[in-house]
């Protein structure tokens, strides 16, 4: 493998080596534009010539960006703690409001991209939010690097789009390598939408 190759995509986990990034100035707005594009891609009803024009522009964008594809942990996406969703398009654009040993709180809205059906959030988006919170709780509580062994979500009410939401997660108990975490997803007025419990298991040396 050449030195250039080592900068390319590498699917090995970066969790044990998580290093926050300071993103280039234009990165945050670029990510927000990409989020807007995601919202539009799942919601527009346009004539064929509009899709054809959009296809040409997206092909240009791909040509611009593809030469800079880098391995995990190198680019600013997913590591920019100051940006919504850490600058990762996979994550809903939520901001971390509290990150300490007591709990981790993140707030934000779900948007059109996260629609399931009937005007409310897709149920699959919620475990993503809980899992990410659990991962941060493990870090914030200074527990060893761990992976999710199980994750249980109770859907108490449908989760609305474009409404301020908050998730708060905390360590419930510790048993050797096991960290049990609980979290609650609420609306601004405290209305409970979902609660969850997860088991994070400390990785042993050599475990990916
Ligand atoms: C400034 C800094 C900011 C930092 C800011 C950080 C930001 C960064 C945020 C990142 C946020 C993303 C966080 C995502 C975290 C994932 O989502 S990780 C991806 C999803 N998870 C996976 O892929 C895990 C796949 N599974 C595995 O790798 C392995 O099964 C595990 C979980 C490591 C456990 O395997 P193992 O080491 O062989 O464990 P094993 O010896 O079988 O079990 C250990 C104990 O756990 C129990 N256990 C294991 N699995 C289970 C289960 N499913 N149910 C019940 N008990 C279980 C066992 O019974 C055993 O209990 P004891 O006998 O000790 O009492």
């Amino acid at each position: 493998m050449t030195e250039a190759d080592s900068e390319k995509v590498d699917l090995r986990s970066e969790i044990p080596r998580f290093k926050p990034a300071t993103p280039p100035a234009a990165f945050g707005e670029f990510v927000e534009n990409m989020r807007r594009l995601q919202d539009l891609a799942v919601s527009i009803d346009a004539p064929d010539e509009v899709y054809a024009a959009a296809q040409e522009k997206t092909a240009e964008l791909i040509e611009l960006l593809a030469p800079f594809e880098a391995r995990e942990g190198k680019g600013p996406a997913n590591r920019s703690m100051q940006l919504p969703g850490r600058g990762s398009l996979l994550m809903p654009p939520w901001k971390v409001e509290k990150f300490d040993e007591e709990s981790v709180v993140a707030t934000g809205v779900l948007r059109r991209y996260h629609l399931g059906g009937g005007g409310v959030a897709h149920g699959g988006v919620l475990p993503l939010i809980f899992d990410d919170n659990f991962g941060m709780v493990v870090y914030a509580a200074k527990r060893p690097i761990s992976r999710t062994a199980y994750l249980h979500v109770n859907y108490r009410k449908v989760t609305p789009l474009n409404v301020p939401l908050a998730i708060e997660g905390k360590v419930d108990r510790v048993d050797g390598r096991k960290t049990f975490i609980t979290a609650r997803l609420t609306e601004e007025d405290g209305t409970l939408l979902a609660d969850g419990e997860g088991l994070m298991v400390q990785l042993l040396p050599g475990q990916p």
Side-chain angles (χ1 to χ4, degrees):
M1 186 187 274
T2 67
E3 200 172 317
D5 286 340
S6 73
E7 299 297 290
K8 298 276 179 179
V9 177
D10 175 355
L11 295 181
R12 282 181 43 131
S13 170
E14 284 289 333
I15 291 180
R17 289 168 279 164
F18 182 88
K19 284 201 189 74
T22 304
F27 179 71
E29 206 171 327
F30 161 71
V31 174
E32 178 45 35
N33 281 351
M34 293 295 290
R35 290 190 190 280
R36 178 78 182 117
L37 271 180
Q38 287 182 318
D39 288 333
L40 289 170
V42 298
S43 62
I44 58 170
D45 179 19
D48 194 39
E49 57 270 24
V50 170
Y51 290 116
Q55 185 278 328
E56 266 185 38
K57 287 185 194 294
T58 51
E60 275 174 33
L61 197 54
I62 290 168
E63 205 177 333
L64 172 70
L65 299 177
F68 300 96
E69 199 172 6
R71 65 168 172 77
E72 182 184 354
K74 183 95 177 23
N78 207 33
R79 302 192 302 127
S80 297
M81 296 300 285
Q82 62 278 61
L83 292 181
R86 294 193 300 277
S88 165
L89 286 179
L90 175 66
M91 300 312 305
W94 289 26
K95 297 213 69 163
V96 177
E97 308 284 355
K98 181 174 186 288
F99 186 93
D100 58 33
E101 291 187 37
E102 182 199 40
S103 70
V104 173
V105 177
T107 61
V109 298
L110 295 176
R111 22 206 280 191
R112 183 62 184 265
Y113 180 64
H114 306 110
L115 173 70
V120 300
H122 193 296
V125 175
L126 270 62
L128 175 64
I129 295 171
F130 277 88
D131 193 33
D132 200 63
N133 178 270
F134 293 171
M136 287 194 283
V137 168
V138 165
Y139 260 88
K142 301 188 172 60
R143 292 285 301 150
I145 301 302
S146 304
R147 280 199 186 274
T148 317
Y150 73 70
L151 164 57
H152 182 96
V153 175
N154 298 306
Y155 298 86
R156 305 293 183 185
K157 282 184 172 7
V158 292
T159 299
L161 302 183
N162 303 312
V163 166
L165 305 173
I167 184 165
E168 176 165 26
K170 48 185 72 170
V171 173
D172 181 61
R173 62 193 191 281
V174 168
D175 175 9
R177 291 170 62 204
K178 299 186 286 187
T179 309
F180 294 87
I181 296 172
T182 54
R184 288 162 51 86
L185 178 71
T186 54
E187 288 192 47
E188 238 174 356
D189 66 0
T191 302
L192 180 66
L193 301 172
D195 51 72
E197 193 224 1
L199 167 59
M200 308 294 286
V201 175
Q202 175 188 357
L203 293 180
L204 297 174
Q207 273 181 324

